[in-house]
Amino acid sequence: MLSFNPTKENVSLIKSALEDNIEMVRILASTSLQKMDAMFVSKILELKEVQGTDERFYLTAAQIYDDYIYSGLIAKENEDFYISKMLEYYKNGFESAKSDKKKKKYVRALIRFDKIDEAADVCSGFGEQKQNETTIKFWMAEICFKKKDFEEVKAILSSINMEKIGFEPYKKSIGWWVG
């Protein structure tokens, strides 16, 4: 059943079964991982057949690559290829996106894969009104953290109104840095 939902957690559980003492369990685990991998490869091949040039196509393709990378199924030596494809699709989607929500997925991916300068450029391109959004401020703080500019992290997080934050981990983060 886990093989029908190739999340990072499910892949991890199945990978741990590869070490089981029972041969049949190891065989089933291996088969499940192959099915999960084949599902992603099939989706990628389908994308190549429809090859669109609109925002929806790019963001769908980026999400498939993103999910595949996040699942943990890709061999380490192949990860860079898939990351670059994902970022390429996110960038194309970002450039044609009409909503900030879709643009934010690109920023999140850039930060996650340490494309810090690009992420900072995109965040600064959101405009002054959008730059005051809590999410963008947290991203800017994360960018500064990755650059080891801890004073700027404090300054950014100090500028956030804690009363407007509903997400408890954000509150704790601000409390730790600013408190």
Side-chain angles (χ1 to χ4, degrees):
M1 289 305 296
L2 295 176
S3 66
F4 293 112
N5 189 14
T7 64
K8 185 177 189 111
E9 296 77 17
N10 291 350
V11 169
S12 180
L13 284 169
I14 293 172
K15 281 184 175 181
S16 69
L18 292 171
E19 306 291 324
D20 197 274
N21 294 333
I22 303 169
E23 183 180 19
M24 184 54 76
V25 171
R26 293 192 307 267
I27 291 169
L28 289 172
S30 178
T31 303
S32 293
L33 289 172
Q34 289 172 353
K35 283 182 184 178
M36 294 166 118
D37 192 66
M39 184 202 70
F40 281 113
V41 170
S42 173
K43 285 183 179 182
I44 289 170
L45 291 174
E46 286 174 23
L47 285 172
K48 290 183 180 190
E49 288 180 19
V50 295
Q51 197 63 279
T53 57
D54 64 334
E55 167 192 347
R56 187 169 166 235
F57 169 79
Y58 291 133
L59 295 174
T60 299
Q63 191 63 57
I64 290 169
Y65 276 90
D66 201 348
D67 291 344
Y68 192 24
I69 294 163
Y70 187 73
S71 73
L73 288 166
I74 299 172
K76 290 290 179 204
E77 59 270 9
N78 296 330
E79 253 182 8
D80 287 342
F81 169 78
Y82 287 96
I83 290 169
S84 69
K85 291 301 282 182
M86 176 204 57
L87 291 174
E88 176 188 328
Y89 282 124
Y90 270 136
K91 183 176 184 177
N92 289 336
F94 164 75
E95 290 171 348
S96 62
K98 294 171 181 59
S99 77
D100 285 341
K101 182 179 179 184
K102 292 176 182 170
K103 291 177 182 180
K104 289 177 182 178
K105 287 186 173 200
Y106 177 51
V107 176
R108 183 72 242 144
L110 287 170
I111 293 171
R112 195 173 77 205
F113 292 103
D114 294 326
K115 307 292 185 192
I116 303 306
D117 293 332
E118 286 178 67
D121 288 345
V122 173
C123 283
S124 66
F126 272 104
E128 196 164 317
Q129 179 186 7
K130 292 289 182 190
Q131 286 179 3
N132 288 323
E133 282 186 19
T134 302
T135 303
I136 294 173
K137 284 187 176 187
F138 268 96
W139 287 340
M140 290 304 295
E142 188 174 349
I143 289 166
C144 292
F145 179 81
K146 287 186 174 206
K147 288 182 174 183
K148 298 184 182 349
D149 186 352
F150 304 121
E151 291 303 315
E152 188 61 20
V153 172
K154 285 182 185 179
I156 292 169
L157 294 178
S158 295
S159 72
I160 297 174
N161 182 352
M162 287 208 12
E163 293 173 10
K164 292 185 176 184
I165 299 175
F167 189 54
E168 197 60 36
Y170 279 3
K171 286 183 181 180
K172 287 180 181 178
S173 181
I174 291 173
W176 189 86
W177 280 97
V178 179

